[in-house]
Amino acid sequence: MKNKLRIQGLLATMAASLVLLTGCQTKQADDPTVATYSGGQVTQANLYKELKQSPTTKTVLANLLIYRALNHAYGKSVSTKAVNTTYDSYQKQYGENFTSFLTQNGFSKASFRQSIRTNLLSEVALKKLKKVTNSQLKEAWKTYQPKVTVQHILTSDEATAKQVISDLAAGKDFTKLAKTYSIDTATKDNGGKTSFEATSKSFDSTFKDAAYKLKNGDYTQSPVKVTNGYEVIKMVNHPAKGSFENNKKALTANVYAKWSRNSSVMQRVISQVLKDQHVTIKDKDLSDALDSYKQSVAKD
């Protein structure tokens, strides 16, 4: 069930590398020493010169400028509480594996919070700059799925998941099996019960797709491969779809969630933010760092 941090592809490496370039851009009259060796020293200017020759430096600069432009434009719309809530949800989701999750994704606790904030800022920008039309809502209605409640058992290997399915076929209780086999510490003690919507970012798409195919009382007949293991899923409550008019709010959220995962859409949004914030790069060696964003904002 657990999903890796869903940061827009355009911004995924931003937070972990902001500090490096920020420090190197600071102008110091005395050119402070960064490091020494027996034959001399490396100054801040030496380091900055070398960094400019690295292909990744332009990416770091671009990400830094994107974050600062977003924060200047929409910073008041993203509270510390919102960042902490998202951070805490990942910490709860990964439990004792949270530190490993951060390490594997190249984050410290601080840079992870920064990435969450960047993600939230980009979502605000998307909603401010791109509006959902009624025709787009009607298109989304064709594949709309309501909020469902399921039980699930996450295992680390396929063999264990198959054993769970075999036990269920033999009439064993799903709740008891979840406590025995599930490695999801957030749900195993309540029988693996959880609820989600189609737009939920805490679940793999394969998990959601498999769940939505189930009727009440049914469970998956083969293990469902997800990011960090194999799932066995049982549908507890799959409500009726309802009417279009009563679900417009949910449909709007679905459309925005879909757009937020679309790199082309998000690139146009970021392009507009950079334009609105009059972002300019003064260093000629780094002047093309934002070239991929220098485009007209397409009309959708």
Side-chain angles (χ1 to χ4, degrees), residues 27-69:
K27 214 168 186 179
Q28 299 285 347
D30 57 351
D31 192 13
T33 300
V34 174
T36 61
Y37 58 100
S38 59
Q41 62 185 9
V42 176
T43 67
Q44 191 175 82
N46 297 148
L47 178 60
Y48 180 49
K49 183 178 180 180
E50 290 297 319
L51 285 174
K52 286 201 297 182
Q53 298 178 47
S54 170
T56 60
T57 299
K58 291 180 181 179
T59 301
V60 174
L61 176 59
N63 289 330
L64 173 61
L65 290 172
I66 289 169
Y67 169 73
R68 291 196 175 185

Side-chain angles (χ1 to χ4, degrees), residues 27-266:
K27 214 168 186 179
Q28 299 285 347
D30 57 351
D31 192 13
T33 300
V34 174
T36 61
Y37 58 100
S38 59
Q41 62 185 9
V42 176
T43 67
Q44 191 175 82
N46 297 148
L47 178 60
Y48 180 49
K49 183 178 180 180
E50 290 297 319
L51 285 174
K52 286 201 297 182
Q53 298 178 47
S54 170
T56 60
T57 299
K58 291 180 181 179
T59 301
V60 174
L61 176 59
N63 289 330
L64 173 61
L65 290 172
I66 289 169
Y67 169 73
R68 291 196 175 185
L70 283 168
N71 197 51
H72 185 261
Y74 304 111
K76 292 181 180 179
S77 298
V78 177
S79 66
T80 300
K81 181 179 179 180
V83 174
N84 289 341
T85 297
T86 303
Y87 181 94
D88 291 344
S89 70
Y90 276 100
Q91 194 169 36
K92 180 179 179 181
Q93 185 183 84
Y94 282 88
E96 61 184 17
N97 296 317
F98 182 62
T99 300
S100 296
F101 162 75
L102 292 178
T103 301
Q104 290 169 6
N105 287 278
F107 290 113
S108 65
K109 291 181 179 180
S111 65
F112 183 54
R113 289 181 187 275
Q114 186 74 74
S115 289
I116 291 171
R117 181 170 177 81
T118 302
N119 197 37
L120 294 175
L121 287 168
S122 68
E123 290 175 358
V124 172
L126 172 63
K127 292 175 182 178
K128 292 287 187 181
L129 298 175
K130 187 173 172 63
K131 301 304 179 182
V132 181
T133 66
N134 199 56
S135 62
Q136 288 167 332
L137 291 180
K138 289 182 178 179
E139 184 64 27
W141 177 245
K142 295 177 182 178
T143 56
Y144 171 73
Q145 290 282 5
K147 184 176 182 178
V148 297
T149 299
V150 302
Q151 286 179 280
H152 81 103
I153 297 172
L154 174 64
T155 66
S156 58
D157 59 87
E158 187 175 15
T160 302
K162 287 182 176 180
Q163 179 61 54
V164 170
I165 293 171
S166 178
D167 288 346
L168 289 171
K172 292 188 178 180
D173 181 63
F174 197 102
T175 297
K176 292 180 179 178
L177 291 173
K179 291 182 179 181
T180 301
Y181 290 107
S182 183
I183 61 173
D184 183 3
T185 56
T187 64
K188 65 178 298 180
D189 290 334
N190 70 340
K193 184 178 286 189
T194 188
S195 299
F196 62 87
E197 299 174 317
T199 56
S200 173
K201 296 179 181 180
S202 298
F203 300 81
D204 282 9
S205 59
T206 52
F207 180 94
K208 292 185 289 186
D209 290 344
Y212 276 121
K213 292 176 182 177
L214 300 172
K215 296 179 180 179
N216 290 343
D218 290 346
Y219 58 86
T220 51
Q221 298 298 305
S222 59
V224 179
K225 181 72 174 72
V226 293
T227 303
N228 61 332
Y230 293 83
E231 292 274 13
V232 179
I233 309 164
K234 179 181 179 180
M235 180 57 67
V236 176
N237 183 30
H238 193 161
K241 188 173 180 178
S243 69
F244 172 73
E245 290 298 326
N246 289 338
N247 284 285
K248 280 189 173 182
K249 184 177 180 179
L251 289 169
T252 300
N254 285 1
V255 172
Y256 276 125
K258 181 179 179 180
W259 283 344
S260 73
R261 296 190 295 269
N262 187 309
S263 60
S264 296
V265 171
M266 292 310 300

